[in-house]
Structures are given as structure tokens and as C-alpha cells.
């Protein structure tokens, strides 16, 4: 997939940035991007909503961003999930924290606003953010909204768990009934405090019931990047293959073939041992004519080819050109070796084709070296035996006609001409090399040369009669 660019607007200045990675963690998405000078920017999102862009002069440690990278899912650009979040057609306005406060208050609850403020502790003083969030608690306290105030306390327990004020308030007896709700993870909290329940279920996602409920919640909110990332996390971190089938179904609904392949390649990098994923990737590589990727996968996992996959590989190998540089030629023989374990006839056909092409511009000794991995395990290979025989014939000047016949079988007509010409000079009365030369020149479309040798062949036959 091609990399993308997007535009950040800072006042009257427009900055073109290129996304490098995106981290998805709970309700946050953070896109790391670079401008032409190498400066780092972070585009910050709350759920599906863009908030602001922050230029990273330096990053504070033990921040939300650091936690997100540790517990969330990080995607490298280009990745379809990043394109799901960003658009090259949109200009992303850089807002200050004070501008964000006004935006938050008009569109979000105080709890959501407090949560969004925690996203910025890598860039802004934690003390400043704490005071702002603390003010929401006092606002609810003055209004007698104890539960709303307690939701802010719960959020601060994550943000500044060691703060003495937070510890004191969390243990205040007037919140004991609310505290019991959270300790029991009561179902009604999905209505009363979905932010907390999403977090609690995420951290307990190894439990299938929690995962099912969390996925349902994310789908209800149409937060597809988060839903897909949860599945990716479960598959890669816990080897939960059960979610692979569901992820695949969703990918086929939302993305084209190229994007599906990009997602599966990323997933394979995280969880290469999943058999179904290996097989699906192989099928896609063969469908998309990605021979090198297919051969690497076959070698790495000793994959067997069946049905349409077998036919697709055969077709690709029948039309491949080893001289284009798109195939890792020096390693190709090592990719063929595993095929001998599952499909020796198929492997032999591939090997034969490779040798056919290699003979046009490589010496027999070069090809012998190239065949070493195959010879090491499968000395009985007919192609290996042919090449061993050709090497011996090459070293024997009295066997050039036999070598020429073998080269002809490999369609190496120019080299065969050299052999038969040598044989013709060595045995001036033997018409057989002349007959071969006439045949080969005809195959090459050189009718005049072919006719000249054909005439000479007839004269020699009459002279020997």
C-alpha cells in the first residue's frame, strides 16, 4: 500500500505530515506523524472524534501515551486502519488546551472531558491537568451530584493513583455504596459509567464473556478501529484463534483485496503460528501473483499446495522470469526444498524450469552451486542428476555431442550450437553434428543457415554411402 499524507493547520500555517504509526488504546487513538523537517506531531482522537495535533518537542515519561503503546495496539504506516481514521482530504486544526476546554464543555460530559485531558500528559504538566480534572469533582460536589463526582475520582485513580487527595477521596465513606458497584462490576454500570466498564472489560479481555460484551459495545458505538484492534490484540497477544474468523469476515465487508492483505500481513507479523492465517495469506499471495511472498511462506511453514493454490503456483512459475530481479534467485532453491517433502513432482517441475532459465546466463558450475540445497536432501532429483552429468560432459571434449543434446533439451540453443560445432570440427566425417546444427538453426528461425547445414548433411550422407 502507498503511504499517505495529511495536512495540519496551525493558525494560518499549513503543515503537511506523513503518518508513521497509530496507537489504539481504549477510547483513544494517537497518530504519530512527521513533517518534511523530521519534526514529530501527534494527532489525538477521542473515539472517532479528532481533538487536536500536538508538536512533540519532548515527551514526558510515565504518560498516557507510554501506557497506550504498552497495552494498546500499534500499527505501522501504511495500514488500512490508519486510513480509516485519517483522510488526506481533511485539514486537521491544531487547537490549544484552552480551545479544547471550550469544545469539550459544549459537547461532552465532565467525565469524558476529564478523560480526554489525561491523553495530553505526555505534552502538558500533569499537575496542571490534575487541577483541571479536580475542578470537575468540586463542580459536581457543589451541585450534590455525588455519583458524577465519584466517576471523576475513579478516573483520577488511574491518572494519579499515588496522589494523597485521590487516596483520601477514594476511601471516603460517603462513596461506599458506589464503590461496591464498581467492585462487583455491576451490569448497570454499562449505563452509568461506560468509560469505566470499557476499561475494566479490556483489562479482563482474556475472559471470553468480557470480550464478547466489549466487542458488542464497540460495534454499537460504530468504533470499528477499536473493535478490529481488540480482535487483533486477542489473536496476537493470547493466540485467540476463535476471533480470527470473525475478523476475516469483517475485513471482507469493509476493505478491498489489497487492504485485506495488508491487515493479514500485519497480523501475521504479530502471530505467525496461526495455521489458518498462513493458509489464507498463501492463497492471497497466489491470487495476487506475489510469487516471492508465497515461496517464502511455503518454505517457512512447509505448507502443502492443493487445488486452486497448486494450479496458481504452477501458472506463476510457468510464466516467471528469473532475470527481472523480482524473484530472490539465489534463495529460490532453498524455497523449493520444502516442496519436495509434500509434492516432489511439483518441486521437480519448478526446479527444471529454473535450471532452464539459469543456463542462459550462468555457468554450469554456478548452477551446481545453486542446486546445493536440493542436492543435500534430494540427490535422486532427475534435474540434479542431469546437471551432474552435464558437468562431467563439459569437462570431456570427446562428449560434446552428448552435452549438446542435453543443452537442446534445456532449450539452450546457442550453447548447443557451440557443442555441435566443436563436435563437427573434431569429427569432420560424422554427419550427425551437422544434422543437429540444421535442426537448431531452424528452431531459431534462421532458415538460410539451416538450409546450408541441411545441404551439407546430405552431401556427407552421400559421401559416406
Amino acid at each position: 500500500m502507498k503511504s499517505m499524507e495529511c495536512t495540519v493547520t496551525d493558525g494560518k500555517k499549513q503543515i503537511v505530515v506523513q503518518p508513521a504509526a497509530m496507537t489504539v488504546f481504549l477510547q483513544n487513538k494517537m497518530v504519530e506523524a512527521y513533517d518534511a523537517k523530521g519534526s514529530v506531531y501527534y494527532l489525538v482522537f477521542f473515539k472517532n472524534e479528532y481533538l487536536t495535533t500536538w508538536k512533540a518537542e519532548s515527551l514526558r515519561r510515565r504518560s498516557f501515551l507510554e501506557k497506550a503503546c504498552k497495552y494498546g495496539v500499534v500499527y505501522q504506516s501504511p495500514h488500512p486502519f490508519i486510513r480509516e481514521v485519517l483522510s488526506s482530504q481533511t485539514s486537521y486544526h491544531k487547537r490549544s488546551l484552552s480551545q479544547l476546554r471550550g469544545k469539550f464543555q459544549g459537547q461532552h460530559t465532565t467525565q469524558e472531558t476529564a478523560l480526554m485531558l489525561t491523553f495530553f500528559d505526555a505534552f502538558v504538566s500533569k499537575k496542571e491537568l490534575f487541577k483541571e480534572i479536580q475542578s470537575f469533582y468540586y463542580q459536581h460536589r457543589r451541585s450534590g451530584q455525588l455519583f458524577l463526582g465519584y466517576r471523576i475520582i475513579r478516573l483520577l485513580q488511574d491518572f494519579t493513583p499515588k496522589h494523597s487527595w485521590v487516596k483520601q477521596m477514594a476511601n471516603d465513606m460517603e462513596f461506599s455504596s458506589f464503590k461496591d458497584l464498581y467492585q462487583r462490576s455491576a451490569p448497570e454500570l454499562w449505563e452509568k459509567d461506560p468509560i469505566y466498564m470499557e476499561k475494566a472489560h479490556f483489562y479482563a479481555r482474556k475472559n471470553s464473556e468480557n470480550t464478547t460484551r466489549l466487542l458488542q459495545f464497540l460495534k454499537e458505538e460504530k468504533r470499528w478501529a477499536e473493535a478490529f484492534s481488540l480482535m487483533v490484540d486477542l489473536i496476537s497477544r493470547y493466540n485467540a484463534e476463535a476471533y480470527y474468523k470473525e475478523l476475516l469476515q469483517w475485513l471482507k465487508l469493509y476493505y478491498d483485496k489489497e487492504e485485506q492483505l495488508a491487515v493479514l500481513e500485519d497480523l501475521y507479523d504479530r502471530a505467525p503460528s496461526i495455521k489458518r492465517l498462513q493458509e489464507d495469506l498463501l492463497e492471497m499471495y497466489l491470487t495476487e501473483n506475489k510469487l516471492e511472498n508465497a515461496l517464502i511462506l511455503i518454505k517457512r511453514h512447509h505448507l502443502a499446495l492443493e487445488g486452486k493454490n497448486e494450479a496458481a503456483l504452477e501458472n506463476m512459475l510457468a510464466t516467471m522470469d528469473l532475470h527481472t530481479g523480482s524473484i530472490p534467485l539465489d534463495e529460490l532453491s532453498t524455497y523449493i526444498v520444502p516442496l519436495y517433502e509434500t509434492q516432489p513432482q511439483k518441486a521437480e517441475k519448478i526446479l527444471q524450469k529454473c535450471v532452464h532459465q539459469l543456463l542462459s546466463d550462468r555457468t554450469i558450475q554456478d548452477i551446481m552451486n545453486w542446486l546445493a540445497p536440493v542436492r543435500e536432501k534430494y540427490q535422486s532429483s532427475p534435474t540434479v542428476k542431469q546437471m551432474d552429468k552435464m558437468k562431467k560432459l563439459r569437462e570431456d571434449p570427446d562428449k560434446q555431442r552428448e552435452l549438446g543434446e542435453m543443452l537442446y533439451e534445456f532449450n539452450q540453443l546457442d550453447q548447443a550450437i557451440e557443442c555441435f560445432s566443436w563436435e563437427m570440427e573434431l569429427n569432420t566425417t560424422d554427419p550427425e553434428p551437422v544434422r543437429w546444427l540444421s535442426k537448431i538453426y531452424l528452431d531459431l528461425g534462421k532458415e538460410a543457415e539451416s538450409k546450408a547445414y541441411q545441404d551439407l548433411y546430405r552431401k556427407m550422407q552421400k559421401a559416406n554411402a
Side-chain angles (χ1 to χ4, degrees):
M1 291 183 63
K2 293 181 180 179
S3 57
M4 66 178 297
E5 292 181 340
C6 55
T7 304
V8 173
T9 302
D10 185 1
K12 294 183 178 180
K13 184 169 64 173
Q14 288 196 327
I15 307 157
V16 176
V17 297
Q18 191 169 64
M22 178 176 74
T23 303
V24 180
F25 176 59
L26 296 175
Q27 301 86 358
N28 171 263
K29 289 184 280 288
M30 197 90 69
V31 178
E32 180 183 319
Y34 294 81
D35 66 12
K37 296 180 180 178
S39 298
V40 185
Y41 295 81
Y42 285 92
L43 288 78
V44 186
F45 293 78
F46 170 69
K47 297 184 179 180
N48 296 324
E49 177 186 359
Y50 168 73
L51 301 180
T52 188
T53 297
W54 213 279
K55 185 176 181 180
E57 306 292 348
S58 61
L59 297 176
R60 299 171 187 269
R61 296 194 59 195
R62 292 182 288 278
S63 64
F64 176 88
L65 177 59
E66 191 174 288
K67 182 191 286 188
C69 291
K70 181 178 180 180
Y71 295 107
V73 181
V74 181
Y75 300 102
Q76 301 301 319
S77 182
H79 192 287
F81 293 173
I82 298 178
R83 292 175 180 272
E84 185 81 15
V85 174
L86 289 181
S87 169
S88 57
Q89 308 301 316
T90 302
S91 184
Y92 296 91
H93 292 271
K94 185 178 185 297
R95 304 183 180 99
S96 66
L97 208 57
S98 59
Q99 290 173 320
L100 280 176
R101 289 188 188 104
K103 173 181 169 59
F104 290 163
Q105 289 173 0
Q107 301 176 15
H108 297 281
T109 66
T110 55
Q111 185 194 27
E112 288 175 330
T113 302
L115 176 64
M116 286 184 270
L117 288 173
T118 68
F119 297 166
F120 299 99
D121 62 344
F123 319 105
V124 181
S125 161
K126 205 159 191 170
K127 185 176 181 181
E128 179 184 345
L129 295 171
F130 174 81
K131 286 183 178 179
E132 184 77 21
I133 296 169
Q134 186 185 42
S135 70
F136 297 141
Y137 165 77
Y138 285 120
Q139 175 184 325
H140 289 306
R141 181 82 184 191
R142 287 191 297 271
S143 302
Q145 299 169 311
L146 290 184
F147 183 71
L148 297 184
Y150 185 68
R151 292 200 310 184
I152 302 298
I153 297 298
R154 296 291 308 197
L155 194 146
L156 284 171
Q157 281 185 290
D158 284 339
F159 186 56
T160 52
K162 295 182 180 179
H163 196 288
S164 58
W165 183 86
V166 174
K167 288 181 177 179
Q168 178 186 343
M169 298 307 298
N171 292 314
D172 194 310
M173 290 301 295
E174 67 179 339
F175 297 130
S176 59
S177 61
F178 305 143
K179 190 174 181 179
D180 178 63
L181 277 177
Y182 285 86
Q183 287 177 337
R184 291 188 291 106
S185 197
E188 57 262 38
L189 282 175
W190 278 109
E191 285 291 328
K192 294 176 177 291
D193 193 349
I195 286 175
Y196 168 81
M197 290 298 275
E198 181 178 341
K199 181 199 73 173
H201 280 60
F202 175 80
Y203 281 114
R205 61 195 180 281
K206 285 184 74 173
N207 181 299
S208 60
E209 290 184 11
N210 288 334
T211 300
T212 300
R213 182 64 185 90
L214 180 54
L215 275 173
Q216 179 188 341
F217 173 73
L218 294 173
K219 291 170 188 174
E220 289 169 357
E221 293 210 327
K222 294 181 168 46
R223 290 163 55 194
W224 304 114
E226 288 93 328
F228 296 158
S229 293
L230 177 59
M231 294 182 211
V232 167
D233 178 80
L234 290 163
I235 295 164
S236 57
R237 198 185 294 262
Y238 304 115
N239 203 31
E241 294 188 39
Y243 296 100
Y244 173 71
K245 184 177 180 181
E246 182 177 358
L247 176 64
L248 198 62
Q249 290 172 339
W250 283 102
L251 293 180
K252 288 177 179 178
L253 283 175
Y254 276 84
Y255 297 110
D256 61 28
K257 288 287 186 181
E258 183 184 8
E259 292 168 328
Q260 290 173 40
L261 179 58
V263 174
L264 293 188
E265 285 181 323
D266 173 77
L267 183 58
Y268 173 77
D269 288 339
R270 303 169 191 271
S273 62
I274 296 176
K275 188 70 173 176
R276 171 74 189 278
L277 175 56
Q278 297 167 8
E279 293 169 350
D280 288 339
L281 258 184
L282 178 60
E283 183 174 340
M284 293 190 79
Y285 284 146
L286 294 172
T287 302
E288 299 300 315
N289 203 34
K290 294 180 178 291
L291 179 57
E292 178 180 353
N293 303 70
L295 291 173
I296 291 172
L297 203 63
I298 290 168
K299 176 191 174 185
R300 186 173 294 162
H301 300 290
H302 301 275
L303 298 179
L305 292 168
E306 298 176 356
K308 62 181 180 180
N309 284 350
E310 183 178 0
L313 180 62
E314 184 175 353
N315 182 60
M316 288 166 65
L317 290 165
T319 57
M320 73 175 176
D321 185 352
L322 297 178
H323 307 303
T324 61
S326 60
I327 304 298
L329 183 56
D330 290 333
E331 296 183 11
L332 187 54
S333 59
T334 64
Y335 298 144
I336 294 171
V337 169
L339 279 179
Y340 274 95
E341 298 177 11
T342 55
Q343 295 166 284
Q345 291 183 340
K346 180 67 63 181
E348 190 62 32
K349 285 181 70 174
I350 296 170
L351 196 66
Q352 188 87 2
K353 177 175 177 58
C354 290
V355 171
H356 268 250
Q357 290 204 34
L358 290 172
L359 276 167
S360 63
D361 62 2
R362 295 211 178 188
T363 67
I364 291 177
Q365 185 56 53
D366 287 340
I367 298 171
M368 297 292 288
N369 295 336
W370 184 82
L371 283 169
V374 180
R375 181 185 290 103
E376 184 180 340
K377 291 194 173 183
Y378 303 99
Q379 293 182 4
S380 60
S381 159
T383 305
V384 170
K385 287 181 177 180
Q386 281 181 306
M387 290 308 300
D388 287 342
K389 184 177 181 181
M390 285 179 68
K391 184 174 184 295
K392 290 179 181 178
L393 295 174
R394 174 70 78 183
E395 295 167 355
D396 188 345
D398 295 328
K399 300 288 186 179
Q400 293 306 292
R401 191 175 84 181
E402 192 174 349
L403 176 60
E405 291 175 5
M406 291 190 71
L407 287 166
Y408 181 83
E409 289 178 21
F410 278 99
N411 201 37
Q412 303 307 309
L413 304 186
D414 290 334
Q415 292 187 51
I417 285 174
E418 291 179 17
C419 292
F420 289 119
S421 296
W422 171 269
E423 183 72 14
M424 179 181 165
E425 292 179 16
L426 197 65
N427 299 296
T428 56
T429 60
D430 187 355
E432 195 60 19
V434 181
R435 184 183 70 82
W436 272 103
L437 287 168
S438 175
K439 176 179 175 61
I440 294 170
Y441 277 116
L442 186 63
D443 289 348
L444 289 170
K446 297 180 178 182
E447 295 183 5
E449 289 88 342
S450 175
K451 187 176 184 307
Y453 279 108
Q454 187 178 28
D455 291 342
L456 178 59
Y457 174 68
R458 288 171 180 164
K459 289 177 183 179
M460 292 178 73
Q461 277 189 315
K462 287 180 180 179
N464 292 334

